[in-house]
Amino acid sequence: MEEFCWLNGDLVPVGEAHISVLDHGLLYGDGVFEGMRVYNGRTFRIREHLVRLQQSAQALKLVIPYTLDVLTQACEALITANKMDSGYIRLVVTRGEGFLGLDPRNCDTPNVFILYRGLKMGEDTIQQHGAKLITTSVRRAPLDVLDPKIKTLNYINNILAKMEANQAGADDALMLNHSGQVAEASAANLFIVKNGVLSTPPCEAGALQGITRDAVMELAIRSNIAVEESPMSLYDVYNADEAFLTGSGAELIPVAQVDGRQLQHAVGPVFLKLKLGFHELTHK
Ligand code: PMP
């Protein structure tokens, strides 16, 4: 079956969708993006994702040439065209084609494209046994270098972090900020549970304001689980009863081990409760 993407206003077969090699998203990582999940034909919290996209673009002084309603309709059309009711959407806005030289004034029109891919489903071994994390030597960029709220195409730090995890035989990497506080994983937020209290690092510590993170905090409140955003050190993570990662692509991933320290629970009761709640929320 032919796979479609959406490129600058049109549904186009993926094999025929082309972007110039002079696009500044490719040359300089000058652009923003979102990753979203589709469940039963509906894009989970699409409005929140598109608002975050727009706020990231605003921070880069990048004007998206489509309204959020048009982008929403584009995602819907793409889901229909690809005849798949579950999967992952990647929406990218680049500064557009320009000359060599990083000045954004070289670029007339942003390029906007949306990809939609199916995901392999089913319980994997990480869901059963928990993930193994290491702390990476790559620090999360500080606020005055690149505000972690901005979801730019600049993911090289995160990629280096992931490579370090791969090298160590771990599933993912924890990134610290310059004060040594835990920020998040390479492309997911972190939660820990200690004595029944759920905690996640605040955005000021270098965490992206994850849409899944928000959903999990709401679920916790509804389930009468105490939840807080609080700065945390590796000591707190090593001594947690439970830990897990959240992200649109990742959903909820239990963490069993951090830097060789086995946590109290590889797959804990709070995690399981929230995972079930998240499944109900996304599939209702
Ligand atoms: N942190 C980073 C660096 C990410 O790339 C992602 C994935 N978008 C997340 C956290 C999780 O965010 P969300 O739940 O909105 O997908």
Side-chain angles (χ1 to χ4, degrees), residues 111-129:
N111 275 314
V112 183
F113 59 92
I114 314 175
L115 307 173
Y116 181 44
R117 281 282 156 96
L119 287 173
K120 68 170 172 32
M121 296 297 167
E123 290 288 279
D124 56 18
T125 53
I126 292 184
Q127 282 298 329
Q128 284 161 22
H129 304 293

Side-chain angles (χ1 to χ4, degrees), residues 199-229:
S199 315
T200 191
C203 296
E204 301 73 57
L208 181 77
Q209 181 152 16
I211 309 272
T212 322
R213 176 182 180 273
D214 284 348
V216 163
M217 289 198 286
E218 289 165 24
L219 280 172
I221 291 165
R222 254 188 274 154
S223 313
N224 290 320
I225 298 167
V227 55
E228 61 181 25
E229 290 180 86

Side-chain angles (χ1 to χ4, degrees), residues 60 140-150 152 154-155 157:
L60 301 190
R140 192 77 170 116
L143 259 171
D144 56 354
V145 173
L146 183 59
D147 191 328
K149 284 202 183 75
I150 312 172
T152 75
N154 274 281
Y155 258 54
N157 281 357

Side-chain angles (χ1 to χ4, degrees), residues 43-249:
T43 309
F44 181 65
R45 301 209 165 167
I46 186 165
R47 202 73 197 176
E48 287 86 338
H49 278 284
L50 293 179
V51 166
R52 187 170 70 180
L53 180 85
Q54 189 158 59
Q55 289 173 347
S56 292
Q58 166 77 2
L60 301 190
K61 218 169 161 217
L62 171 59
V63 179
I64 304 174
Y66 301 99
T67 62
L68 300 195
D69 285 342
V70 168
L71 293 177
T72 304
Q73 286 154 17
C75 290
E76 285 164 3
L78 191 60
I79 294 165
T80 307
N82 284 314
K83 300 187 174 69
M84 253 186 310
D85 65 2
S86 289
Y88 179 87
I89 288 184
R90 171 61 56 92
L91 198 169
V92 181
V93 184
T94 73
R95 187 76 65 178
E97 184 178 344
F99 306 107
L100 286 177
L102 53 75
D103 192 336
R105 290 175 301 183
N106 291 330
C107 308
D108 275 344
T109 321
N111 275 314
V112 183
F113 59 92
I114 314 175
L115 307 173
Y116 181 44
R117 281 282 156 96
L119 287 173
K120 68 170 172 32
M121 296 297 167
E123 290 288 279
D124 56 18
T125 53
I126 292 184
Q127 282 298 329
Q128 284 161 22
H129 304 293
K132 198 172 139 185
L133 307 185
I134 53 126
T135 306
T136 169
S137 61
V138 184
R139 296 287 170 261
R140 192 77 170 116
L143 259 171
D144 56 354
V145 173
L146 183 59
D147 191 328
K149 284 202 183 75
I150 312 172
K151 202 160 162 54
T152 75
L153 295 176
N154 274 281
Y155 258 54
I156 201 64
N157 281 357
N158 308 61
I159 291 165
L160 288 169
K162 180 72 180 170
M163 284 165 65
E164 221 173 273
N166 293 344
Q167 182 77 23
D171 300 302
D172 203 353
L174 277 187
M175 301 183 79
L176 308 182
N177 65 22
H178 274 98
S179 307
Q181 294 166 329
V182 178
E184 59 180 350
S186 68
N189 290 110
L190 173 76
F191 283 88
I192 62 169
V193 181
K194 183 74 179 174
N195 299 328
V197 179
L198 183 67
S199 315
T200 191
C203 296
E204 301 73 57
L208 181 77
Q209 181 152 16
I211 309 272
T212 322
R213 176 182 180 273
D214 284 348
V216 163
M217 289 198 286
E218 289 165 24
L219 280 172
I221 291 165
R222 254 188 274 154
S223 313
N224 290 320
I225 298 167
V227 55
E228 61 181 25
E229 290 180 86
S230 71
M232 71 178 69
S233 66
L234 281 173
Y235 171 90
D236 300 321
V237 179
Y238 297 155
N239 286 289
D241 299 330
E242 307 178 35
F244 60 91
L245 305 178
T246 64
S248 298

